Amino acid sequence: MGPLASLRSMSKHLPALNYITVHYCYFIVVCLLSSAIFWASSKPDGHISYVDSLFVVVSAMTEAGLNTVNLSSMTTWQQTILFLLIIFGSTIWVSIWTVIARKFVFYRLFMPCITQQTQRVANQHSRDDEQDDSSNPYITRSDTLSPEADLPSAAVEAEDASPPACDSSCILNQERITVKSENGCLIDLSDRHVCRCEYHALELLSVVVPLYFFLWQLLGCLGLAAWMHHNMPDTALANGINPWWLGIFNGVSAFNNSGMSLLDANMMPFQEAYFVLITMGLMILAGNTAYPIFLRFIFWCGLKILDFMTEEASFQSTKLAIKLLLKDPRRIYTNLFPSRLTWWLLFMLICLNTADWVFFELLNLHNSVVGSISVGPRILVGLFQALAVRSGGFYVSFAQARQHRLRIYRESKFGHWA
């Protein structure tokens, strides 16, 4: 048996190439390659074993946030590797490429069908014009084409079938009707309009979601880095970390819900830093559990602004795409929910985080470590810990934590995944 035949026999036992296999391959290959680079970058050589390197790399890529080695003892290049892996393993980052892939596949499958139908209608219109000219010698060519309102219905259909448009005939309440031609193309008019709106919705998502992803991290990281540099530089320098780099790393870790920190004490030095706790708390919500809420609010506000600032006939494609995203979001993007489910998500977030916050304050009434924090910062520390323990992974006051409190945090994490 030759090598080609062996490869063919092996390929029969491999899983089919689809989204889930590409997803698995992406994480496995990136983790294996990154672990080798991470391990080879240790200074001095062998300072971090390969097992620890593999564990830390997988933890960063999967946003687990666990580390067997203090990040402050790593080289700047190793910290940069973890920084990039936290970004490349983010749920929103993966969803961006899912949207782009869907838009590309949608374009390949849908646009050729529209082009074929447009060409067919245009050819029919051309034949109709030739027949009209030959039957009536008193009608010149210029008279036939001059008034746009007098064009035959075939020309109107050709204009309606043009790919870029997404007009008011896209009926969002209408069920999808799929009619296929001999070559498998969609030819039904109502279905084509709905599909066209869906494609415009994907185009809109391919712009809004990356902007959301990068702007939240850019602005949050710059704010944290500037604050740490001007207010608490000694905290970072004591661990051999540049304050700017600490703010950038912690900001990305918060938004992507990793929980890794370059400081050995994690967030405990910032117990009284109001700006740091509030900013990182918002980034924790924006990057994970509250992401569908924030994204839907952005589209809802965008639609309201467009309706208020523009005429009814303007920006029809964008307005209809946003309406489709708000009315049937799961058909377009799995991280966007309908209105009722979004309100339920907001309600559950408030209830669970409030419960964790209240239990933090009650169960630490006689805790000497937490009691040493003044009242104002202690209230904010409790709120940050409630936000971080369920998704962010940071800790700001776990020293001498009572068993009842740890048990509540454990149940909260199970409730988050449920």
Side-chain angles (χ1 to χ4, degrees), residues 207-221:
V207 175
V208 174
V209 175
L211 283 176
Y212 179 96
F213 181 73
F214 289 109
L215 287 179
W216 261 103
Q217 295 183 89
L218 176 64
L219 299 177
C221 290

Side-chain angles (χ1 to χ4, degrees), residues 64 148 183 191 198 235 241 273 282 305 311 335 351-352 417:
E148 184 176 342
N183 58 356
D191 183 73
E198 188 172 348
T235 302
I241 306 298
L282 287 174
I305 293 173
E311 298 180 358
N335 290 336
C351 290
L352 292 174
W417 289 110

Side-chain angles (χ1 to χ4, degrees), residues 313-325:
S314 303
F315 297 97
Q316 280 296 306
S317 298
T318 304
K319 291 177 182 178
L320 290 171
I322 296 177
K323 288 179 181 178
L324 182 60
L325 284 171

Side-chain angles (χ1 to χ4, degrees), residues 30-71:
V30 171
C31 286
L32 291 177
L33 291 177
S34 301
S35 63
I37 298 173
F38 186 93
W39 174 69
S41 304
S42 299
K43 297 294 181 183
D45 294 340
H47 170 64
I48 302 177
S49 66
Y50 179 74
V51 174
D52 287 333
S53 300
L54 180 61
F55 181 88
V56 173
V57 163
V58 172
S59 179
M61 185 73 176
T62 58
E63 317 299 345
L66 304 173
N67 55 288
T68 55
V69 181
N70 288 330
L71 271 64

Side-chain angles (χ1 to χ4, degrees), residues 302-376:
L303 182 60
K304 295 297 181 182
I305 293 173
L306 282 176
D307 289 338
F308 179 76
M309 299 293 292
T310 64
E311 298 180 358
E312 185 177 356
S314 303
F315 297 97
Q316 280 296 306
S317 298
T318 304
K319 291 177 182 178
L320 290 171
I322 296 177
K323 288 179 181 178
L324 182 60
L325 284 171
L326 294 176
K327 182 177 178 61
D328 193 7
R330 300 285 288 180
R331 170 176 160 183
I332 313 295
Y333 189 51
T334 56
N335 290 336
L336 195 61
F337 303 145
S339 176
R340 183 180 178 184
L341 294 180
T342 304
W343 282 110
W344 269 109
L345 175 60
L346 177 62
F347 173 75
M348 292 304 299
L349 277 179
I350 294 174
C351 290
L352 292 174
N353 288 320
T354 302
D356 287 341
W357 188 10
V358 171
F359 280 121
F360 174 90
E361 303 297 341
L362 293 178
L363 296 177
N364 286 304
L365 289 176
H366 303 290
N367 189 321
S368 58
V369 176
V370 178
S372 63
I373 308 173
S374 56
V375 177

